Amino acid sequence: MRGARVLVKAMYPGTFDPITYGHIDVARRAAKAFDKLILVVMQNRLKSNVLFSKDERLKMIETVFENDDNIVVDYHSGLMVEYARRNGINVVVRGLRAVSDFEYEMQMAAANKKMLEALDTFFLMTETKYSFISSSLVKEIMYHGNSVDPWVPPVVKRELEEKMKGMIE
Ligand code: COA
């Protein structure tokens, strides 16, 4: 094998408003395949009504992965290809929950590759038990006063309870 192996960094972009066990599952599985996984909290222009601030989301994710040596978190407000280009990243990790995710993901992967030829998207099938959840669904369940324990870690549950105090039915 020629020379020293190049360390492979991957990015896992998302709004993570908030992060759920589904995202965490994808991140930890992806982190086994790459030398470093960067969870990039993105500013999604189409989601102006986020519940948690950028810093609140970053802090929750840092707490979740505080013992995961090769998982780090960052923030980016532009296109994910710009983050990849700026940070020498050639891999985007995305989780596929159901067939309904595929068309949108395929479009995004193709557009990203058109903009940055070196960038490939690696898809992981979301763990079946998480394949129907989303951040919005978790917020909706919490809003109606039901337990979100199966879908978010304690740190996220506490932040949800704090943020939604007085809103919960
Ligand atoms: N487990 C649980 N939920 C999951 C999941 C999983 N494995 N994968 C996705 N989801 C949920 C998310 O929580 C999110 O739920 P919400 O809509 O209720 O918040 C939903 O599925 C969609 O997730 P995702 O596709 O990751 O959307 P996003 O908004 O979180 O992030 C980006 C998608 C990164 C593309 C978006 O932030 C973005 O547009 N970024 C900047 C611009 C850019 O680069 N666009 C792409 C151009 S080609």
Side-chain angles (χ1 to χ4, degrees):
M1 184 169 77
R2 282 177 297 118
R5 189 173 72 81
V6 173
L7 291 181
V8 182
K9 293 187 293 187
M11 67 184 284
Y12 179 17
T15 303
F16 303 118
D17 182 50
I19 192 164
T20 70
Y21 280 135
H23 299 112
I24 295 165
D25 171 64
V26 167
R28 288 207 165 115
R29 285 160 55 200
K32 286 189 284 192
F34 298 103
D35 296 295
K36 184 176 181 184
L37 181 75
I38 307 160
L39 259 89
V40 188
V41 174
M42 304 289 289
Q43 178 66 42
N44 186 341
R45 194 173 54 80
L46 306 177
K47 285 183 185 172
S48 53
N49 60 335
V50 288
L51 179 66
F52 292 104
S53 70
K54 156 192 156 187
D55 291 337
E56 287 167 333
R57 283 176 278 158
L58 288 167
K59 186 163 164 284
M60 278 188 273
I61 297 171
E62 278 161 4
T63 305
V64 167
F65 294 110
E66 62 191 353
N67 299 317
D68 294 81
D69 297 338
N70 70 331
I71 300 180
V72 297
V73 63
D74 203 353
Y75 173 78
H76 181 63
S77 60
L79 284 173
M80 70 173 93
V81 289
E82 290 319 314
Y83 186 88
R85 196 192 315 273
R86 202 177 301 158
N87 292 280
I89 292 171
N90 295 331
V91 174
V92 174
V93 169
R94 296 286 291 164
L96 288 177
R97 291 167 298 171
V99 172
S100 52
D101 280 343
F102 182 74
E103 190 174 352
Y104 162 72
E105 292 293 345
M106 184 181 65
Q107 183 188 34
M108 202 154 55
N112 283 335
K113 190 143 191 73
K114 188 77 181 148
M115 292 185 279
L116 182 57
E117 174 51 36
L119 191 65
D120 277 308
T121 304
F122 283 60
F123 294 109
L124 279 171
M125 291 313 296
T126 301
E127 175 75 46
T128 311
K129 62 185 172 186
Y130 302 133
S131 60
F132 59 91
I133 62 170
S134 68
S135 301
S136 295
L137 186 68
V138 165
K139 289 179 279 193
E140 192 64 13
I141 292 168
M142 171 62 88
Y143 174 77
H144 291 287
N146 273 35
S147 168
V148 292
D149 292 349
W151 301 308
V152 296
V155 61
V156 173
K157 179 182 174 185
R158 281 195 303 276
E159 292 300 320
L160 277 167
E161 286 168 339
E162 188 55 34
K163 181 67 79 170
M164 300 179 89
K165 205 180 285 176
M167 291 160 61
I168 295 175
E169 270 191 343

